[in-house]
Amino acid sequence: MSSGLQHRFVFGVNGSIKQNIDYVEDSMIAYVAGHNLVMYDQVEKRQRFIHGNEEAQGISCFSLCPSKKYIAIAEKSEPAEIFVYNVRTCRKFKHLEYKQWATKEVASMAFSADNQLLLTLGSAPDFTLVCWNWNKAKVLSTIQVSETSCLTQTSFSPLDASVCCVSGKDRFSFYRVLDNELRAIPSSDLKATNVLCHVWLKQPEDHMVIGTDDGDLLVYEKSSLLCRLTEAPKNLKKSEAEQLETGNRNIRIESLCALSKGFIAGCSNSTFRLYSLIQDRPASAADMFSLVQTWSVNDHIEDVMSMCISPNEDSLMAVLSDNQIFHCSIVSPANLKNDDMKPVMCEFHGPGAITGMDLCVRKPFCVTCGMDRSVRIWNYLDFKVEMFKYFNEDPYSVAFHPTGLHLLVGFADKLRLMNVLMDDIRPYREFSIKGCRECCFSNGGQYFAAINGNVICIFEFFTGDKVCDLRGHSSKVKGLSWGADDSTLISCGQDGAVYQWNVAKGIRMGDFVQKGTLYNCAIGNNEMVWAVGSDRFIKELELPDLNTVKEVDGGVVLGQIVLSHSEHCMFATTAVDKRPGSVRAYAFPLTGDYLEYPCLGGPITRMRISHNDQFLFVADDKGSLIVFAVKDKSEKRSLTGKDSSAGAMSWSEEVLVTKSDLEEKQTLMQELSTKVDELALHNEYQLRLKDMNYQEKIKETTEKYTQDLEQDKNKYELLREEKNDMEMEYDERLKQMDEKHQHELQELEGGYQQKIMGEVERYQHLCHERDLQKDRWDSQQRTLIDTHEKYVTELTEDFEQKLDEDKQLRMQYEEEKNDAQREFDEVRNQLEDDIDTEIQNLRVKYDQQLANEREATLRFKGENGIMKKKFTVLQKDIEDQKEEIKSLLEKEKELHEQIKALEREIQAHKREIKSRDDTIGEKEKKIYELKKKNQELEKFKFVLDYKIKELKRQIEPRETEISNMKNQIKDMDRELEQFHKSNAQLDLMIGELRGKLDGMQKEILAQRKEIGDQESLMRRCKSELHDAVQVIQNPTLLAEKISAIYKQHVVKQSVAKDGVDVNVQNEYQRHQQFLERTLSSLKLKFNQDVKKHKTINLKLMEENIQIIQEISSQRDQNKLKKQMLAAKLGDLKLRSQREAATPATVSPRLSTGGGLVDPQTAALLEDNKRKIIELRKVVKEMENEIVNSKADPRGHEILPTLT
């Protein structure tokens, strides 16, 4: 093959698949689009692909494992198949196939929390649940969940990997995964309830929420129904607007997504409801979740089919049923609005087919139209939507002018020529051609062709005049293709004809007709024409007579063909119903060899190739558009000849703008410039006012901090003196403590020496008593041995006599047994003769009955065929009536939407008029006031300049003080952080110790149980061995008894492995009940202890706060006293200087400061110091009590011994 294809980008998503979106990484999402699994990176704006299998009929679902390393994809086939891929390399890792499956597709899949198991739920008809060990590709267990009710979802419990659940119509059940089976867990029955979705909650653990088709939200705890939420959509009153949107129908819960403290429900009318868990436990379980916010997607009323939350829980992704992906930020859920929901890449075509597609030569644009009544222009270099517009009717075809400035769109009533403006698509000319299914511009752009039924109309583009009508097809025309010089046109149709036309003369130059074949597409060059149709062949026809040169068998129906401009490769698409669409790359000239690329989920409707042969565009009947990169293998570049010059030419950047739009934008610019000037003046005025306020504040702060600095200096000197005094006191105390400890140590040494001498004397006395007791025990042992030997000889004699008697009895029993055997043989022979005669009579009777029943079955088959024919006729009538009802409802919806849109536009225009009148009046008032204020401000300017100079001189000392205070605050913050860290570490240690203690208690209970069982076994063995020892003299009896013991203990143990004894089960149940009772009592004790410790901690905290308040008040008093002392010292210094005292008399008093203090104040200071020391001791004792209470808050008790 000379050319190959590589997936570049997919515009679209399969909105019909449940759970069709998930986060692979923080910025990468995975979803199914067409026949591919797409992984889209939101940061780099690029896609990676995992392609579906060529033989499969499509992708039904996928599941991502919790570790995000592997992804499982289920594909439709007979039977259904599952492939596991490596996410990083996108390579196939495992292939899972269950041949006993009768289903063609998998409805849902889920990985277990430990990444070991994969659960798959098959769809109709058997609805089988299969559990896989996917790493070994092995089926562990299966179960048929239902036969009639439709099941939609399955999932594993995030806490217990052995518990799973299944939900669907009239069914919500739990199962436990065992080694070889899936065992049903008893659960609350949900009859007449259609469960659409469910999700396991993160908090509270082991809870889950399920959503129903009537808008109800049910909460399950483990496997039992806990409550129905009061704030579910079913219980809320609808507003008039909601009733209009939903058509008076119930709001369905289509999807659910769990948060760390709540969940989000996706509803049927593109509405999202965020519920949050109430922290304080409510009185009723139905009120455990509160509705925080409700929002929806603007201009969309479709169902929310899938949702997922980012790993950081900061954004939400949602897939709607109209094939759209939206996202929003949920960092502040209370502030969410409808406008916050935005498309991830851009809005795609809706669920309907893409009916038309064309490319531009001068710009990197692709235009498409679809059944969602929209025309979209895509930029295939930047992979985004440049422009789109919705219309009131369905567009059937579209064509792009080579310049990229004009469009040709065919509608049901007319063919419209439109201008592509800078921000709009605006029609400017109409042609009376109804239902135009195909149209195209010529290569030069001077002509365009349009199909009107079975007639081809040719128009001049610049004048709009009709050139000619090309008549010759007897049925609808399906394909058009211009020649290289725009002088010829090739057409094909449903009548099996392929024609070549001369456009200038309006005559047919060549024809090829094959009746019974519906041709879909025809293309050509200067020498050949190629056509594809329902006969599954690619026909190669030679010009000018269109004679068949070659036929290439495609194997399936081919819908579209395209030839690259370099004529290196031909591309064809498949169009088989209910099969994925694929693109084939044929070697050119045609040899029949091709490479197939499965890409879309349905039959491909349109295909185009770019003018430089670098990109291939494919669209299907489900609204998806895929862009391929064409790789030429024969050359490094895919451009040759004239195409290389076209590829080297730069893209055109011209746009169309109307004169009215330019004038509007100029007026807008003028208005905005005036607004900017006004805002600049207003901001200058506000800045001046703020400067004045800040200067006043700076003055106040500088004065305040100078006063505080003087007070702090005085405090520092007083504290330094206190520190010196305290150092002297502690040195003296340390000396006294050393002397005291040495004296106590000598006394303790003497006391311990006396105790050691007493213990030695006691040891010698105990050794003497032990020797005496040993002698007594030896004498008693000898006497016991003699008595035992006598007793054994007597027993052997008795047992020998009994054995002789038993032998005589056995001989009698054997004779009786032989007599009974002879009688039994005679009776058996007589019964066999009687039974043979009865069997022959019954055989004749049942043969007659079988013949009668065969005649009846033949009669019933004839009646059944007549009833089937009647049923098919009635069913067709019912389907016709349903289609009529659907069409009427759709028309009604369209009319309602048009009315709403017009009413909104009217209200918006009225609001704009009012707001503009108000703003004009307010601006005129502001201008007049600003002129007055400007005059007054100029007067104050001179005064303010003088004040600014003075304040600048006072700022510098204040700034230094502020920086010092900030450093102190930072130090305090560091200390606080250290205390918080230490508290957190202590809490973690407490939790770990509690867990260890619980585990040790469970182990002790299990070991006690095992010890008790073993002791009872030992007792039984001892008693039986004792009985066996009694016949030790008789070897035969001894052997029988020992074999009986062996059978009883050894063989029973092997049997017990297969079936448990009833007594053991009863004992196990009794023990289980006892443990449950003890567990409940321990829980009650634990809750009581927690409450007691909480009250104690609160009391201690309150007392601590009171003590701290007393300390702070005491410190304040001390500060006041010291300030008074400092003031007195200053007065005395002044007096001494005035009195001109000698330095010898003044210096001792000033140096110590002790003689200047009154005796009352000195006593007060010592008393206050003593109180502070006592209070500090009390605080330390309380802190120790708090630490001890935190270390063991529950006060675990050791369990009593089992008896």
Side-chain angles (χ1 to χ4, degrees):
M1 292 297 296
S2 61
S3 295
L5 298 177
Q6 183 181 357
H7 288 69
R8 285 295 299 275
F9 213 85
V10 175
F11 296 100
V13 65
N14 290 7
S16 60
I17 298 176
K18 284 271 190 179
Q19 300 172 341
N20 188 21
I21 194 163
D22 204 348
Y23 267 94
V24 179
E25 296 174 0
D26 291 338
S27 62
M28 185 178 288
I29 57 173
Y31 57 90
V32 177
H35 197 47
N36 311 285
L37 183 99
V38 181
M39 287 182 281
Y40 176 65
D41 194 329
Q42 300 177 67
V43 177
E44 297 181 2
K45 306 293 183 185
R46 62 184 181 86
Q47 293 179 344
R48 292 164 57 204
F49 302 93
I50 296 176
H51 310 299
N53 195 10
E54 294 180 6
E55 299 175 357
Q57 299 175 11
I59 297 173
S60 58
C61 63
F62 77 93
S63 179
L64 187 69
C65 72
S67 64
K68 310 290 185 184
K69 292 182 180 178
Y70 298 96
I71 192 165
I73 299 173
E75 296 186 357
K76 302 175 187 176
S77 61
E78 294 183 5
E81 292 180 321
I82 301 160
F83 298 94
V84 181
Y85 292 86
N86 189 317
V87 173
R88 187 175 62 83
T89 61
C90 295
R91 290 184 178 178
K92 194 181 294 182
F93 182 69
K94 291 289 178 184
H95 177 203
L96 310 180
E97 187 176 5
Y98 182 53
K99 294 182 179 178
Q100 284 76 22
W101 246 342
T103 182
K104 291 184 180 180
E105 63 179 281
V106 176
S108 179
M109 293 191 297
F111 281 94
S112 60
D114 57 359
N115 300 311
Q116 297 298 318
L117 305 177
L118 177 65
L119 198 66
T120 58
L121 175 65
S123 61
D126 56 353
F127 296 105
T128 303
L129 189 67
V130 183
C131 183
W132 305 78
N133 183 345
W134 63 270
N135 208 0
K136 297 179 181 178
K138 180 183 176 184
V139 176
L140 297 179
S141 53
T142 63
I143 188 171
Q144 186 173 359
V145 181
S146 175
E147 293 181 357
T148 55
S149 58
C150 181
L151 304 177
T152 56
Q153 188 179 353
T154 183
S155 63
F156 272 108
S157 170
L159 298 177
D160 189 356
S162 64
V163 176
C164 60
C165 68
V166 177
S167 64
K169 187 177 181 182
D170 303 330
R171 177 63 70 101
F172 187 69
S173 52
F174 292 83
Y175 295 90
R176 186 171 295 281
V177 180
L178 301 176
D179 292 336
N180 295 316
E181 64 172 334
L182 280 164
R183 186 177 295 171
I185 300 173
S187 60
S188 301
D189 193 12
L190 289 178
K191 290 184 178 178
T193 303
N194 188 5
V195 179
L196 297 181
C197 55
H198 68 263
V199 68
W200 294 88
L201 297 175
K202 297 179 181 178
Q203 283 189 4
E205 293 181 346
D206 214 1
H207 284 60
M208 66 187 311
V209 177
I210 67 173
T212 64
D213 64 343
D214 59 353
D216 203 1
L217 289 169
L218 288 73
V219 181
Y220 269 71
E221 183 179 4
K222 293 183 180 178
S223 60
S224 59
L225 179 62
L226 181 64
C227 65
R228 296 174 184 265
L229 294 183
T230 55
E231 295 195 14
K234 181 180 179 180
N235 303 326
L236 299 175
K237 292 182 179 180
K238 292 184 180 179
S239 64
E240 294 180 0
E242 285 180 341
Q243 288 180 0
L244 285 171
E245 287 178 2
T246 59
N248 296 322
R249 291 177 294 176
N250 289 328
I251 298 174
R252 301 186 304 277
I253 308 297
E254 292 287 351
S255 58
L256 292 167
C257 193
L259 297 169
S260 57
K261 292 183 179 179
F263 64 94
I264 299 173
C267 302
S268 57
N269 53 352
S270 74
T271 303
F272 299 86
R273 296 175 181 271
L274 193 147
Y275 293 86
S276 178
L277 179 66
I278 297 173
Q279 297 298 326
D280 300 330
R281 193 169 183 84
S284 175
D287 299 326
M288 64 191 299
F289 288 98
S290 64
L291 181 63
V292 177
Q293 186 60 281
T294 302
W295 73 99
S296 61
V297 184
N298 284 331
D299 301 326
H300 287 269
I301 56 170
E302 288 76 15
D303 303 343
V304 182
M305 299 301 290
S306 307
M307 291 190 299
C308 68
I309 301 291
S310 63
N312 299 326
E313 292 193 2
D314 56 356
S315 63
L316 168 71
M317 290 282 174
V319 177
L320 304 186
S321 60
D322 62 345
N323 298 353
Q324 305 295 337
I325 306 177
F326 286 92
H327 74 107
C328 69
S329 174
I330 54 171
V331 176
S332 56
N335 300 323
L336 281 170
K337 297 176 183 178
N338 295 350
D339 296 333
D340 294 334
M341 293 298 292
K342 296 177 181 176
V344 175
M345 291 169 276
C346 56
E347 287 196 29
F348 309 130
H349 278 289
I354 293 177
T355 56
M357 180 168 64
D358 199 7
L359 301 179
C360 178
V361 177
R362 294 286 292 116
K363 293 182 181 181
F365 289 167
C366 171
V367 65
T368 56
C369 63
M371 298 305 290
D372 59 347
R373 298 186 174 181
S374 69
V375 175
R376 300 175 188 271
I377 298 174
W378 313 84
N379 188 326
Y380 56 81
L381 292 183
D382 298 333
F383 301 114
K384 65 178 183 179
V385 173
E386 287 287 337
M387 203 180 303
F388 67 92
K389 186 171 184 177
Y390 286 93
F391 296 92
N392 295 326
E393 51 189 338
D394 295 331
Y396 295 140
S397 59
V398 68
F400 220 141
H401 195 268
T403 59
L405 303 176
H406 309 283
L407 290 179
L408 188 66
V409 186
F411 293 96
D413 57 346
K414 289 182 182 180
L415 179 71
R416 291 182 174 88
L417 197 60
M418 302 184 181
N419 283 329
V420 180
L421 303 177
M422 188 169 60
D423 54 359
D424 193 12
I425 301 171
R426 199 170 294 174
Y428 70 94
R429 186 173 290 174
E430 294 180 349
F431 303 92
S432 58
I433 297 176
K434 294 182 178 180
C436 179
R437 298 282 178 174
E438 189 73 34
C439 60
C440 61
F441 282 98
S442 62
N443 296 319
Q446 71 273 26
Y447 299 114
F448 64 85
I451 295 171
N452 188 3
N454 58 357
V455 179
I456 304 168
C457 302
I458 309 295
F459 293 88
E460 281 191 3
F461 168 68
F462 297 105
T463 61
D465 297 333
K466 185 183 285 187
V467 177
C468 62
D469 288 335
L470 305 179
R471 302 177 186 274
H473 287 279
S474 60
S475 185
K476 290 183 180 179
V477 181
K478 295 289 287 182
L480 295 174
S481 177
W482 286 90
D485 57 355
D486 294 342
S487 63
T488 58
L489 182 71
I490 298 166
S491 64
C492 65
Q494 293 182 353
D495 55 355
V498 179
Y499 295 142
Q500 185 188 22
W501 306 88
N502 188 323
V503 175
K505 297 178 181 179
I507 59 173
R508 192 163 59 201
M509 295 171 62
D511 57 0
F512 170 80
V513 179
Q514 184 178 353
K515 290 186 178 180
T517 303
L518 306 177
Y519 283 105
N520 299 318
C521 184
I523 59 170
N525 59 7
N526 295 328
E527 298 175 356
M528 295 287 179
V529 172
W530 295 269
V532 292
S534 60
D535 60 350
R536 302 183 179 183
F537 284 94
I538 301 176
K539 297 285 180 66
E540 185 173 336
L541 310 174
E542 189 178 10
L543 292 174
D545 298 329
L546 296 182
N547 296 322
T548 304
V549 177
K550 189 185 295 183
E551 290 184 353
V552 178
D553 188 4
V556 296
V557 176
L558 302 177
Q560 299 283 315
I561 54 170
V562 161
L563 180 66
S564 63
H565 295 87
S566 60
E567 297 185 0
H568 283 183
C569 188
M570 179 180 284
F571 300 99
T573 64
T574 60
V576 183
D577 289 336
K578 297 181 181 179
R579 295 280 296 180
S582 58
V583 179
R584 293 180 177 182
Y586 282 91
F588 194 82
L590 290 175
T591 59
D593 298 331
Y594 64 87
L595 293 174
E596 190 163 350
Y597 302 90
C599 55
L600 293 172
I604 294 173
T605 57
R606 298 285 174 175
M607 180 172 62
R608 295 288 186 272
I609 192 166
S610 62
H611 194 66
N612 54 11
D613 289 345
Q614 287 185 345
F615 297 99
L616 184 72
F617 301 84
V618 180
D620 67 350
D621 62 350
K622 295 184 179 179
S624 296
L625 173 67
I626 189 165
V627 183
F628 287 99
V630 181
K631 301 294 181 182
D632 198 335
K633 297 178 182 178
S634 61
E635 298 179 6
K636 293 183 179 179
R637 297 180 64 195
S638 63
L639 306 175
T640 58
K642 62 177 183 181
D643 299 316
S644 61
S645 62
M649 188 168 52
S650 61
W651 299 109
S652 172
E653 296 181 357
E654 292 86 5
V655 292
L656 280 179
V657 182
T658 60
K659 190 176 180 181
S660 59
D661 291 340
L662 274 174
E663 290 174 353
E664 285 179 3
K665 287 184 178 178
Q666 285 176 355
T667 53
L668 267 173
M669 287 172 67
Q670 290 175 358
E671 289 176 0
L672 290 170
S673 62
T674 53
K675 283 182 182 178
V676 168
D677 296 336
E678 290 173 0
L679 287 169
L681 289 169
H682 181 70
N683 289 332
E684 285 179 2
Y685 174 68
Q686 292 292 329
L687 284 169
R688 288 177 184 173
L689 289 175
K690 284 180 181 178
D691 290 338
M692 291 170 66
N693 291 327
Y694 285 135
Q695 286 170 2
E696 291 175 358
K697 286 180 182 178
I698 288 165
K699 267 188 182 179
E700 292 174 359
T701 51
T702 49
E703 291 173 359
K704 182 181 176 183
Y705 281 116
T706 50
Q707 293 175 1
D708 292 339
L709 195 140
E710 291 175 357
Q711 291 176 2
D712 290 336
K713 284 180 181 178
N714 295 327
K715 287 178 186 177
Y716 174 73
E717 290 177 356
L718 292 170
L719 289 168
R720 189 173 61 187
E721 292 175 359
E722 283 183 5
K723 189 190 83 169
N724 295 327
D725 296 337
M726 293 291 284
E727 285 177 354
M728 297 291 289
E729 289 177 6
Y730 282 118
D731 291 336
E732 291 176 359
R733 285 182 186 177
L734 284 170
K735 288 178 182 178
Q736 293 175 2
M737 291 292 287
D738 289 336
E739 293 174 357
K740 185 179 177 183
H741 284 305
Q742 286 177 358
H743 181 66
E744 288 177 355
L745 195 143
Q746 290 174 358
E747 291 177 353
L748 287 169
E749 283 179 353
Y752 279 114
Q753 284 177 356
Q754 292 176 0
K755 287 181 182 179
I756 287 164
M757 295 298 293
E759 290 293 329
V760 170
E761 292 175 357
R762 186 183 168 200
Y763 172 73
Q764 292 173 355
H765 179 68
L766 289 169
C767 288
H768 180 65
E769 288 180 355
R770 186 193 65 185
D771 295 334
L772 293 172
Q773 285 179 358
K774 188 176 180 182
D775 295 335
R776 283 199 301 273
W777 184 82
D778 290 336
S779 61
Q780 289 175 3
Q781 187 181 16
R782 290 190 199 96
T783 55
L784 284 168
I785 288 166
D786 295 335
T787 55
H788 179 70
E789 287 177 352
K790 290 177 182 178
Y791 180 70
V792 167
T793 54
E794 291 174 358
L795 282 172
T796 52
E797 291 173 358
D798 293 336
F799 277 110
E800 283 176 356
Q801 292 176 2
K802 289 179 182 179
L803 196 143
D804 294 334
E805 293 174 357
D806 290 337
K807 283 180 181 178
Q808 292 175 1
L809 284 169
R810 190 182 71 179
M811 296 294 289
Q812 291 176 3
Y813 289 145
E814 282 180 355
E815 290 175 357
E816 291 175 358
K817 185 188 79 170
N818 293 327
D819 296 335
Q821 184 69 31
R822 291 190 201 99
E823 290 177 1
F824 173 74
D825 292 336
E826 289 176 359
V827 171
R828 186 180 64 185
N829 292 327
Q830 291 174 2
L831 286 170
E832 285 177 354
D833 296 334
D834 295 336
I835 287 164
D836 289 335
T837 55
E838 286 180 4
I839 287 166
Q840 288 177 357
N841 295 328
L842 289 168
R843 185 177 290 170
V844 173
K845 182 181 175 183
Y846 284 118
D847 287 337
Q848 290 175 358
Q849 288 181 1
L850 196 143
N852 295 328
E853 286 178 357
R854 281 177 181 170
E855 291 176 358
T857 51
L858 289 169
R859 188 172 62 254
F860 289 139
K861 280 180 181 178
E863 293 176 357
N864 192 14
I866 294 163
M867 294 299 289
K868 278 183 179 178
K869 288 178 182 177
K870 290 180 180 178
F871 179 73
T872 52
V873 172
L874 290 169
Q875 201 167 12
K876 285 179 182 177
D877 295 338
I878 291 162
E879 288 176 355
D880 294 337
Q881 289 177 359
K882 283 181 179 178
E883 287 177 357
E884 289 178 2
I885 290 162
K886 284 180 181 177
S887 62
L888 291 169
L889 287 170
E890 287 175 355
K891 287 179 181 177
E892 188 181 354
K893 285 180 183 178
E894 290 171 0
L895 291 169
H896 280 301
E897 289 175 357
Q898 289 177 6
I899 290 161
K900 285 180 185 177
L902 292 168
E903 287 176 353
R904 288 174 193 157
E905 288 178 0
I906 290 162
Q907 289 176 0
H909 288 309
K910 286 180 179 178
R911 289 188 202 120
E912 284 182 1
I913 291 161
K914 286 181 182 178
S915 62
R916 286 179 180 177
D917 292 336
D918 294 336
T919 50
I920 288 163
E922 288 174 0
K923 284 174 182 176
E924 288 176 352
K925 290 178 184 177
K926 285 180 181 178
I927 289 162
Y928 180 74
E929 290 172 358
L930 287 167
K931 285 179 180 178
K932 285 185 178 179
K933 287 178 181 178
N934 196 4
Q935 292 174 358
E936 292 175 357
L937 288 168
E938 285 176 355
K939 294 177 183 176
F940 290 114
K941 187 178 179 183
F942 180 77
V943 178
L944 290 170
D945 289 335
Y946 181 75
K947 287 182 179 179
I948 287 162
K949 290 176 183 178
E950 290 180 351
L951 289 168
K952 281 181 180 177
R953 295 169 189 165
Q954 299 173 2
I955 284 168
E956 291 179 358
R958 296 287 177 90
E959 285 180 348
T960 55
E961 291 172 2
I962 289 163
S963 65
N964 294 328
M965 296 301 285
K966 282 181 180 177
N967 292 327
Q968 291 179 5
I969 291 161
K970 286 179 182 177
D971 296 335
M972 297 294 285
D973 288 334
R974 290 192 197 101
E975 290 179 1
L976 260 176
E977 287 177 359
Q978 290 176 358
F979 285 124
H980 285 307
K981 287 178 182 177
S982 62
N983 287 331
Q985 290 174 356
L986 289 169
D987 290 335
L988 287 170
M989 288 169 66
I990 290 161
E992 290 175 357
L993 291 169
R994 286 178 187 168
K996 287 180 182 178
L997 201 143
D998 292 336
M1000 292 295 290
Q1001 286 184 353
K1002 288 177 183 176
E1003 288 179 3
I1004 289 162
L1005 289 171
Q1007 288 175 359
R1008 283 178 181 172
K1009 185 183 174 184
E1010 289 180 2
I1011 290 162
D1013 296 338
Q1014 295 294 329
E1015 285 177 353
S1016 63
L1017 255 175
M1018 287 169 68
R1019 285 194 214 102
R1020 277 186 280 171
C1021 288
K1022 283 178 181 178
S1023 64
E1024 289 170 357
L1025 282 169
H1026 186 269
D1027 293 339
V1029 168
Q1030 305 304 322
V1031 292
I1032 199 167
Q1033 300 297 329
N1034 191 351
T1036 56
L1037 279 173
L1038 186 65
E1040 287 176 0
K1041 288 206 171 186
I1042 287 168
S1043 65
I1045 291 166
Y1046 177 81
K1047 288 177 183 177
Q1048 186 175 0
H1049 292 286
V1050 178
V1051 177
K1052 280 184 180 178
Q1053 286 176 2
S1054 63
V1055 172
K1057 290 179 183 176
D1058 298 328
V1060 181
D1061 192 8
V1062 177
N1063 295 325
V1064 175
Q1065 287 181 351
N1066 294 330
E1067 183 67 18
Y1068 176 78
Q1069 289 176 357
R1070 189 178 65 77
H1071 196 63
Q1072 185 179 4
Q1073 290 173 1
F1074 172 72
L1075 289 172
E1076 287 175 353
R1077 286 197 297 274
T1078 53
L1079 195 141
S1080 61
S1081 63
L1082 286 169
K1083 282 182 179 178
L1084 288 170
K1085 285 180 182 179
F1086 172 74
N1087 292 327
Q1088 290 173 1
D1089 291 337
V1090 169
K1091 288 179 182 177
K1092 286 179 184 178
H1093 284 296
K1094 280 183 180 178
T1095 54
I1096 291 164
N1097 287 334
L1098 287 169
K1099 286 180 182 177
L1100 290 171
M1101 290 293 287
E1102 289 173 358
E1103 290 175 0
N1104 198 358
I1105 289 162
Q1106 290 176 359
I1107 290 164
I1108 289 164
Q1109 288 176 353
E1110 290 177 3
I1111 289 166
S1112 61
S1113 63
Q1114 197 68 40
R1115 283 176 179 168
D1116 293 332
Q1117 290 178 6
N1118 289 337
K1119 287 176 185 177
L1120 290 170
K1121 295 284 185 183
K1122 287 175 182 177
Q1123 287 175 3
M1124 290 168 66
L1125 284 169
K1128 286 180 180 180
L1129 285 168
D1131 293 333
L1132 287 169
K1133 284 179 184 178
L1134 290 169
R1135 286 177 187 173
S1136 63
Q1137 287 175 1
R1138 287 173 187 170
E1139 291 171 359
T1142 60
T1145 57
V1146 177
S1147 60
R1149 295 176 70 189
L1150 293 172
S1151 60
T1152 58
L1156 299 174
V1157 181
D1158 296 333
Q1160 292 179 355
T1161 56
L1164 274 170
L1165 284 169
E1166 289 176 357
D1167 194 17
N1168 289 335
K1169 285 179 182 178
R1170 191 178 67 256
K1171 285 181 181 179
I1172 288 164
I1173 292 163
E1174 289 174 358
L1175 290 169
R1176 283 177 178 168
K1177 288 179 182 178
V1178 172
V1179 170
K1180 285 182 180 178
E1181 290 174 359
M1182 288 182 174
E1183 287 176 351
N1184 292 326
E1185 287 178 3
I1186 290 164
V1187 170
N1188 293 327
S1189 65
K1190 282 184 178 180
D1192 191 9
R1194 290 190 293 174
H1196 287 290
E1197 296 179 1
I1198 297 170
L1199 292 171
T1201 57
L1202 290 170
T1203 56

